[in-house]
Amino acid sequence: MPIAGYLRISDADLAEIRRAVRNGDITAEEGQERERKGVLKQRDDVTALAARHGYAPEQIVWYEDNNLSAFSRSVKRKDFERLLRDLSKGHLDGILYYDIDRYTRQPRDLERTIDIYETSKKPLIFDGLSGQNFDLTTPDGRFSARLFVSIANKSSEDTKRRIKRETRRMAEKGEFHGGKPAFGWDPNDRKKLDPVAADMIQRGTRWFIQGDRIPTILERFAEEGLINPSTGRPFSREHWRRILMRERNAGILRFQGEPMKDQDGNYIMGDWPPIVSVEEWEALMAKIRSRHKKTKPDITTKYLLSGIARCGRCGARMHGHPVWQKGKKTDSYAYTCQRRQADECGAMNVTGPPVDQMVRSLVWSVVERSMSGLKVQKDTAWSKQAELDEVEQEIKELKEKWARREIRASIYVTTLEALESDRDSLKADRALHTAQAQSPVQEDVIRKGWQGLSLERQREVVRSVLTAVMIHPAKSRGANFDAGRVEPVFAENAAA
């Protein structure tokens, strides 16, 4: 039978090489080359060990898990698992390795191997180049193997703890602590912005805050020929959503899945140039949270007045639907009241295009006549700033009392958590106010007219002027559109 030769670079070497790649000391390609050279050296050493056991090079079956940790429980080593399967089926005479910590650093993996050796009907070899007795067919060998694997496991635990502590120290100082090159920055210099990618993020953030949906934003990029440089294809909606939500865009440091804050609740900023301001990022996140509270038709609608138009009989919301004739969908559409609830009549509909045209003309005349009515919310200061200032002062005073040891730990922790929760809620409310204060009507858009607005932003403008559009029953049947059926209900600030 052949004998197995198991190859794997050590966890310590892996950690050192990966740290050098993260710090920019070597490139990713150079790191892979170093790992490969380490494995090839092991192959030569294991071949010499096999010769001492009487096996020629062609009698060795190689199992290689390059670039994989033997310590992490989440890592699945495919060749290690294949080796155990082949060994349990009797296809091998044993296992040769460079050192036992290259074979495994998890006691449970060693016990799986010991089970095979103890139940095998023939003697199996288990040997490495360390010179230690790890013969798994003897009690002393199994004891030594268990002892050294436990030591290797402890060493990996210590290394993991040191790396984690050092990574956190770097994060708390705002220093780069690893990760792939992020979209928006120069792939070769993480402290320089990529002009094209950064501009996409800046515009995407601004458009989203102003009311555009992500598919609309991506359509604009596609028209400009802007694609994902990693795939060579347009961005997916979910991928672009994740890009916009990154704290990194605002220069905020992220550690273990959360934005880092100091003891005063302020964001810890990284050592790279931001693409957008913290206020813009917070406004974007507030906009995302507010959108999640809306109904699905309001988010995905293709029609201007879906959910805004209401039935003049029952008051239910009316939604747009394409018009079908002779089994084929036409270019026209209608707003209908559908009987989904007991209090909805389901007996009202109106042709959509003339209603939309009428509403657009009405709303735009209001916009052009008086921009001040649409800027009331934007010009109004956030009403809870004094409350936030008071909470932050209470947190400061509480920490000073704790520093002087004037309060018990249980009271300090409980009170601090409650105050910090209030502070974070108020800051979220301020961000939401900022997002909502971004008026959908701006001077450059006014000059462009409706053609300068996406459908989502047109709906934002309509909502800023009208609370609803009531559709009343037709007085008589006929092909002509009756403008008298349409009753606009003005918003309070627009009416003023």
Side-chain angles (χ1 to χ4, degrees):
M1 290 291 178
I3 194 165
Y6 185 75
L7 309 175
R8 188 192 68 81
I9 195 170
S10 73
D11 286 42
D13 290 339
L14 272 178
E16 182 179 346
I17 293 172
R18 290 172 180 173
R19 191 181 303 112
V21 172
R22 288 197 303 269
N23 294 339
D25 299 332
I26 60 175
T27 66
E29 292 74 15
E30 290 173 333
Q32 293 175 358
E33 182 64 21
R34 287 191 186 183
E35 293 169 11
R36 187 63 187 152
K37 285 181 179 179
V39 169
L40 291 177
K41 182 180 183 302
Q42 290 181 39
R43 182 184 284 257
D44 294 338
D45 293 337
V46 172
T47 300
L49 178 62
R52 296 205 295 267
H53 284 277
Y55 291 87
E58 60 270 15
Q59 292 178 285
I60 305 173
V61 178
W62 296 104
Y63 299 83
E64 179 181 326
D65 284 316
N66 188 23
N67 197 25
L68 292 176
S69 170
F71 167 72
S72 176
R73 289 176 174 268
S74 62
V75 173
K76 300 297 181 184
R77 293 183 287 158
K78 291 184 178 180
D79 266 21
F80 178 80
E81 298 297 332
R82 184 166 64 89
L83 186 157
L84 291 186
R85 288 196 300 270
D86 293 346
L87 188 67
S88 64
K89 293 177 181 178
H91 298 166
L92 301 170
D93 277 348
I95 304 172
L96 301 177
Y97 48 86
Y98 182 77
D99 201 346
I100 196 167
D101 66 353
R102 311 297 172 93
Y103 179 73
T104 183
R105 284 176 174 258
Q106 279 292 347
R108 63 174 183 167
D109 287 337
L110 177 63
E111 293 303 325
R112 293 168 62 197
T113 308
I114 290 175
D115 288 342
I116 297 173
Y117 274 74
E118 287 185 326
T119 57
S120 175
K121 296 180 180 179
K122 65 176 183 179
L124 298 173
I125 299 171
F126 190 80
D127 196 12
L129 291 163
S130 65
Q132 298 288 337
N133 174 24
F134 296 137
D135 184 357
L136 300 184
T137 62
T138 66
D140 288 346
R142 291 193 292 273
F143 172 79
S144 296
R146 285 170 172 143
L147 178 62
F148 274 78
V149 168
S150 295
I151 293 174
N153 183 270
K154 177 63 166 57
S155 175
S156 291
E157 289 281 5
D158 292 342
T159 300
K160 178 182 177 181
R161 186 169 56 253
R162 286 196 300 271
I163 292 175
K164 186 175 181 179
R165 184 170 61 245
E166 174 63 14
T167 302
R168 184 169 188 88
R169 183 199 66 78
M170 294 172 65
E172 289 174 344
K173 293 181 66 177
E175 298 175 2
F176 176 72
H177 55 276
K180 297 180 180 179
F183 180 76
W185 287 265
D186 189 331
N188 300 316
D189 188 347
R190 64 179 184 81
K191 290 192 176 183
K192 291 183 179 179
L193 295 178
D194 180 324
V196 175
D199 179 64
M200 291 176 67
I201 293 174
Q202 288 171 347
R203 288 191 293 161
T205 300
R206 183 174 68 252
W207 291 338
F208 190 90
I209 292 173
Q210 291 174 350
D212 288 343
R213 294 188 298 121
I214 289 179
T216 302
I217 296 172
L218 295 181
E219 285 176 8
R220 292 182 180 178
F221 289 154
E223 291 172 357
E224 298 176 25
L226 300 174
I227 59 176
N228 186 341
S230 300
T231 63
R233 298 191 299 271
F235 287 93
S236 69
R237 178 167 59 180
E238 182 57 30
H239 186 192
W240 188 251
R241 179 176 176 272
R242 290 199 301 269
I243 288 176
L244 290 182
M245 292 175 63
R246 296 180 314 191
E247 299 91 341
R248 179 185 179 88
N249 296 344
I252 300 170
L253 200 67
R254 182 184 180 92
F255 184 71
Q256 294 185 346
E258 296 292 337
M260 289 200 71
K261 296 181 179 181
D262 59 21
Q263 60 181 1
D264 296 324
N266 300 314
Y267 292 118
I268 296 178
M269 309 304 289
D271 59 352
W272 59 85
I275 296 176
V276 300
S277 67
V278 173
E279 292 75 17
E280 286 176 312
W281 177 78
E282 288 183 330
L284 178 136
M285 295 301 296
K287 194 77 172 182
I288 289 176
R289 287 191 292 269
S290 66
R291 281 191 178 185
H292 286 172
K293 298 177 182 179
K294 296 182 180 179
T295 59
K296 184 176 180 180
D298 202 25
I299 296 175
T300 60
T301 183
K302 300 178 181 179
Y303 306 100
L304 179 68
L305 300 179
S306 281
I308 300 175
R310 286 184 175 271
C311 175
R313 284 197 178 100
C314 65
R317 295 182 186 276
M318 302 175 68
H319 297 281
H321 299 280
V323 173
W324 292 71
Q325 288 183 355
K326 297 181 180 180
K328 295 183 179 180
K329 186 165 62 174
T330 68
D331 293 334
S332 186
Y333 56 92
Y335 294 108
T336 63
C337 172
Q338 294 183 323
R339 189 176 177 80
R340 297 176 178 175
Q341 305 291 336
D343 58 349
E344 296 177 353
C345 67
M348 184 70 68
N349 66 81
V350 65
T351 302
V355 176
D356 286 359
Q357 182 59 39
M358 177 180 174
V359 169
R360 282 190 173 100
S361 299
L362 172 65
V363 169
W364 206 250
S365 66
V366 175
V367 170
E368 290 181 321
R369 185 172 65 250
S370 177
M371 280 293 292
S372 60
L374 295 175
K375 291 185 175 180
V376 172
Q377 185 181 26
K378 183 175 182 180
D379 296 337
T380 301
W382 184 54
S383 61
K384 299 181 181 179
Q385 185 61 51
E387 186 177 347
L388 175 60
D389 294 341
E390 182 179 351
V391 170
E392 289 182 332
Q393 181 62 30
E394 289 181 7
I395 292 175
K396 180 180 179 180
E397 293 174 357
L398 180 68
K399 289 182 176 181
E400 291 174 352
K401 288 183 179 180
W402 169 250
R404 297 192 297 268
R405 294 297 186 269
E406 295 178 0
I407 54 176
R408 295 197 304 269
S410 58
I411 297 176
Y412 172 72
V413 172
T414 303
T415 308
L416 181 63
E417 287 182 351
L419 288 173
E420 288 180 337
S421 177
D422 291 343
R423 178 196 63 195
D424 294 342
S425 296
L426 286 167
K427 284 187 174 182
D429 184 76
R430 182 176 62 184
L432 182 58
H433 174 86
T434 303
Q436 293 174 338
Q438 296 286 338
S439 174
V441 182
Q442 300 188 13
E443 293 183 5
D444 60 332
V445 177
I446 290 294
R447 290 193 298 268
K448 295 178 182 178
W450 282 103
Q451 299 303 318
L453 293 172
S454 64
L455 179 64
E456 303 93 272
R457 295 180 66 188
Q458 289 185 32
R459 286 170 57 81
E460 292 281 353
V461 175
V462 171
R463 287 182 181 278
S464 66
V465 175
L466 302 176
T467 301
V469 176
M470 303 299 296
I471 306 298
H472 297 289
K475 295 180 180 179
S476 62
R477 292 182 177 273
N480 295 329
F481 172 68
D482 181 6
R485 298 181 59 190
V486 182
E487 179 190 354
V489 180
F490 286 90
E492 182 178 350
N493 61 339

